[in-house]
Amino acid sequence: MEPLRQLAKEKLAGKNVIAVMSAKGGVGKSVISSLLTLALGEGTLLVDMDIHTMAVTKLFGLEGKLHEVTKDGIEPFNVSSVQIVSLSGIVKDKYVILPGGNNERVMESLIAFTNMKKAKNVVFDLPPGLGDEILVLERLTKFKPVVVTTPSKVSVKVVEYLIKYLNEKGLNPLLLVNMSYYDCGGKIVRPFGDVDSASSLANKYGLRLVELPIDPTIEDYMGRIQEYKGVLLSRINEAVRILNDIS
């Protein structure tokens, strides 16, 4: 095994590793990853695995800030009681375009050189699709997949590809329906349509289904999501309880 990959594998050894993913873009993975990290609390590290257009640092108000590097490696940002690491903390506020196998090497390097000594839980926020980031994690660790979708038929159909892949690899995904409804004066409104298609998908593959509400106020917390205490966070706590039940 390559030394870099071996080091990354050793960094994740013994950690509770959770990967938030979806085959569909625009379903709120980064918001869910961030709130999930905050719900898990002290001893949790959030790793932004989108190495091209990094969103996590923008959610936490860390845009433009750089990671310190010590003898222990890349030092994560400390926000509230959790830690965050992102390529954004190395390249600052710039997009990144990489050819071919360089993607995997950058991801492995980010993991291998990050100081994870204080982390019991490591949450990975993955970009959409079936790409290098999933393959990298597979080689490095056994992780708990959290699969995110909306109830729209197109999203559910696309996300099923990811669930099939995870099942073929012997993983146990958890399906989260992202922000599928909102409460309008006591009346439940579903702008993406009924949750039936997502429920059917969960039943088909034996997954646990968690419906998440739309909270319009969360936009007020972009750049300071660590201060958000609304209804969406309370539902994320339910997902944490389910994750804790997964061995």
Side-chain angles (χ1 to χ4, degrees):
M1 183 180 292
E2 294 182 12
L4 180 67
R5 187 169 299 166
Q6 180 62 35
L7 179 57
K9 195 169 185 176
E10 290 171 0
K11 285 291 181 75
L12 295 175
K15 311 288 188 188
N16 177 37
V17 181
I18 300 166
V20 180
M21 57 181 66
S22 180
K24 183 75 172 63
V27 295
K29 292 179 303 302
S30 294
V31 169
I32 291 174
S33 299
S34 299
L35 293 179
L36 185 62
T37 298
L38 291 165
L40 286 166
E42 188 174 357
T44 304
L45 169 68
L46 174 58
V47 180
D48 187 353
M49 280 287 272
D50 188 337
I51 60 169
H52 301 290
T53 53
M54 298 71 76
V56 166
T57 47
K58 296 174 175 62
L59 290 173
F60 283 90
L62 300 168
E63 193 171 10
K65 295 187 177 181
L66 295 175
H67 289 294
E68 291 185 18
V69 179
T70 68
K71 60 181 179 61
D72 293 317
I74 300 168
E75 296 295 339
F77 297 120
N78 292 293
V79 180
S80 296
S81 60
V82 302
Q83 295 185 306
I84 297 157
V85 67
S86 171
L87 192 64
S88 173
I90 298 171
V91 301
K92 217 166 184 180
D93 188 24
K94 298 176 182 177
Y95 62 83
V96 177
I97 299 177
L98 293 168
N102 289 316
N103 291 309
E104 295 182 4
R105 195 159 189 83
V106 168
M107 292 175 196
E108 288 181 350
S109 297
L110 189 64
I111 297 168
F113 297 130
T114 293
N115 181 5
M116 298 188 183
K117 289 181 179 179
K118 295 181 180 179
K120 296 179 295 183
N121 308 302
V122 181
V123 178
F124 285 94
D125 177 33
L126 274 63
L130 287 161
D132 295 328
E133 57 283 341
I134 297 179
L135 299 176
V136 167
L137 282 187
E138 276 183 46
R139 288 195 292 261
L140 299 180
T141 186
K142 182 79 171 179
F143 59 89
K144 297 175 182 177
V146 173
V147 181
V148 183
T149 187
T150 68
S152 77
K153 292 180 180 178
V154 170
S155 181
V156 168
K157 285 181 180 295
V158 171
V159 164
E160 186 171 8
Y161 292 130
L162 174 58
I163 294 172
K164 285 180 178 179
Y165 177 79
L166 292 170
N167 282 344
E168 288 171 3
K169 293 296 182 177
L171 296 166
N172 300 305
L174 170 70
L175 179 66
L176 291 178
V177 179
N178 172 41
M179 304 180 195
S180 59
Y181 68 93
Y182 62 90
D183 189 332
C184 185
K187 181 180 179 181
I188 298 299
V189 178
R190 300 183 181 279
F192 302 110
D194 290 335
V195 75
D196 293 349
S197 57
S199 296
S200 297
L201 184 63
N203 291 334
K204 181 177 179 180
Y205 293 97
L207 308 182
R208 300 287 294 273
L209 182 64
V210 178
E211 267 197 280
L212 300 178
I214 298 168
D215 184 359
T217 69
I218 200 166
E219 279 295 315
D220 298 332
Y221 291 89
M222 296 300 102
R224 55 187 185 99
I225 198 168
Q226 63 272 22
E227 298 176 18
Y228 175 78
K229 305 296 180 186
V231 62
L232 183 55
L233 182 59
S234 66
R235 293 291 288 161
I236 290 289
N237 285 325
E238 180 181 339
V240 170
R241 288 192 292 272
I242 293 171
L243 283 170
N244 287 336
D245 290 338
I246 300 175
S247 57

